[in-house]
Every structure is written in structure tokens, then in C-alpha cells.
Amino acid sequence: PSAILVDLHGRKPFMVYSLTLIAMGVGGIGFATTLDHLVACRLIAGFGVAALSTAATLTITDISTPRNRASTMAPMNSGFAAGMV
């Protein structure tokens, strides 16, 4: 669903919106006083990260040619993989 939203609203605005969601979620996590508040803020931050990864992947796909797409996608995917560890 986020890929459809990225196509509708554009790559750059969606990246800004997703970074805003991440910032709001992480800021809320820092000020959470209850478990419910913490879970809600984690959910907001998770939506932001999902949107950012979709927008970043589609942006790199747009700016690369089919011939060099693997070499432009590899650093981003490596970063995502390293971040999961």
C-alpha cells in the first residue's frame, strides 16, 4: 500500500512525510510513560520506516538504469540488512 501512496504523492514529499513520522514516533518513545504510549509510538515510527524504505527503493529504481540497478541498489540493501542486526 505504501508504494501506491508514493506514486500518488511523489517521492520527495513522501520521504519528508515519512521522516516526520519517524521523528514523531521516536520523540514519543523518549517521552512515553506507559506501555500503551510506548507501543503506539513504536507503531508510528514503524509506519515511518516502512514508508521511508519504500520511497527510497522506488527513488533509486527511478534514477538508475536497468543496467546498473544492481550496483545502485546493493549499498542500500546492505545498509538495511546491517540495520537489522
Side-chain angles (χ1 to χ4, degrees):
S2 60
I4 295 169
L5 291 174
V6 170
D7 282 338
L8 288 176
H9 298 291
R11 310 289 194 251
K12 189 173 181 180
F14 206 76
M15 290 181 84
V16 172
Y17 299 148
S18 63
L19 287 172
T20 304
L21 274 176
I22 294 169
M24 288 175 22
V26 171
I29 289 169
F31 291 111
T33 56
T34 65
L35 182 63
D36 293 337
H37 188 214
L38 179 70
V39 169
C41 292
R42 285 289 306 230
L43 187 66
I44 291 170
F47 282 139
V49 169
L52 183 65
S53 64
T54 303
T57 302
L58 291 176
T59 301
I60 290 177
T61 303
D62 285 345
I63 64 173
S64 64
T65 62
R67 184 178 179 132
N68 71 349
R69 188 160 296 147
S71 62
T72 53
M73 292 290 286
M76 187 186 74
N77 289 335
S78 299
F80 284 147
M84 295 289 177
V85 174

